[in-house]
Amino acid sequence: MQLPPLTAGRILRRYKRFLADVELEDGRMVTAHCPNTGSMRGCWLPGAPVQVSFSDNPRRKLAWTLERVDMGCGWVGVNTSRSNAVVAEAVVAGRVPALADYRTLQSEVRFDVPGHPRSRLDLRLGGGQSADALVEIKNVTLLDGDRLRFPDAVSVRALKHLDLLRAAVETGLRGVILFALNRPEGRCFSPAPEIDPAYARRLSEVVAGGVEALALRIRHTPQGMLGDGMVPIELEAG
């Protein structure tokens, strides 16, 4: 996926969850939108190199958006709004073998189940030999030793998505939770029970009940992002 033109700088601070002060390479100081609801633990330090994009949309309160941060080993993608498009592109290109059999892809699909709140899941895949697949994508940036973990903060919404995927399986569909590993380090994916024990337990439960868990590496190029390379999942923390 091609990113918009990027401007280099360094991050000075992140605050109020969605704001980041950045010094651009030409010395200008700007406040950038930080489209990431997590804690961004391990994804930034004052002075770390960053790249930001610019929008001239007059309706936006902030013209700049924080896209990625270099923590010393390559770019970490912190703009969570990019992950779905990167994963969808990888699925269409056949780079996610478990999902390569489908001919149609829909984004932001409503899935209503009695007993669950009305909600949307990220992708619906159809037209294959297998049952249609509902896919929820989670951007992963938390590095813990040699593992990438999710979530980096307690997430009730993420827990709800696991329940929806389990409900999808119970109706005869495929339910897939796909973790988009948006940094270059880490040999495997695991949940983060020390941060959100309820999510870690529920993930193990729904996988035991038929939900499929996949982890896809997101690789950053000078001008874009590419979903390429499946990564092992270890549900039990070691």
Side-chain angles (χ1 to χ4, degrees):
M1 183 186 79
Q2 187 81 10
L3 289 170
L6 299 172
T7 300
R10 63 188 185 95
I11 189 170
L12 304 179
R13 65 173 181 146
R14 185 217 184 189
Y15 57 104
K16 294 184 179 178
R17 201 179 198 187
F18 298 112
L19 301 177
D21 287 342
V22 174
E23 181 182 8
L24 302 182
E25 58 185 347
D26 62 6
R28 283 180 293 160
M29 308 291 290
V30 301
T31 298
H33 174 52
C34 182
N36 191 310
T37 60
S39 70
M40 282 180 56
R41 174 178 165 185
C43 294
W44 79 279
L45 286 172
V50 301
Q51 288 184 333
V52 293
S53 61
F54 178 82
S55 172
D56 59 4
N57 184 344
R59 296 183 178 181
R60 287 188 48 150
K61 292 182 179 180
L62 297 172
W64 296 93
T65 298
L66 183 64
E67 297 286 349
R68 48 195 188 184
V69 182
D70 188 346
M71 294 299 292
C73 293
W75 292 118
V76 180
V78 297
N79 184 346
T80 57
S81 68
R82 304 288 185 197
S83 302
N84 286 12
V86 176
V87 171
E89 182 182 79
V91 170
V92 171
R95 293 195 294 271
V96 184
L99 303 176
D101 181 46
Y102 295 99
R103 295 192 299 272
T104 64
L105 181 150
Q106 297 172 276
S107 299
E108 292 293 320
V109 178
R110 183 170 293 283
F111 182 61
D112 296 328
V113 180
H116 294 269
R118 299 182 69 184
S119 187
R120 292 181 182 272
L121 293 168
D122 290 322
L123 303 176
R124 180 167 184 148
L125 309 177
Q129 296 181 358
S130 303
D132 285 9
L134 289 171
V135 183
E136 180 64 20
I137 300 162
K138 297 301 180 188
N139 190 66
V140 180
T141 57
L142 175 61
L143 181 68
D144 177 19
D146 64 351
R147 297 170 186 263
L148 285 158
R149 296 187 183 273
F150 180 88
D152 65 359
V154 173
S155 177
V156 175
R157 185 169 180 268
L159 200 64
K160 178 186 71 173
H161 287 143
L162 291 181
D163 291 336
L164 285 172
L165 292 173
R166 177 163 53 187
V169 170
E170 291 170 352
T171 67
L173 299 171
R174 291 177 69 188
V176 179
I177 181 73
L178 191 150
F179 298 100
L181 311 183
N182 211 336
R183 63 187 300 161
E185 315 100 311
R187 69 167 181 84
C188 70
F189 169 81
S190 294
E194 72 286 355
I195 294 175
D196 193 342
Y199 186 87
R201 287 194 301 269
R202 192 70 52 83
L203 179 61
S204 293
E205 291 168 3
V206 301
V207 168
V211 172
E212 301 164 57
L214 305 173
L216 174 70
R217 180 82 68 184
I218 304 298
R219 304 187 187 278
H220 287 255
T221 66
Q223 288 82 36
M225 302 166 66
L226 177 70
D228 185 30
M230 307 308 296
V231 175
I233 292 178
E234 297 182 8
L235 294 183
E236 295 298 328

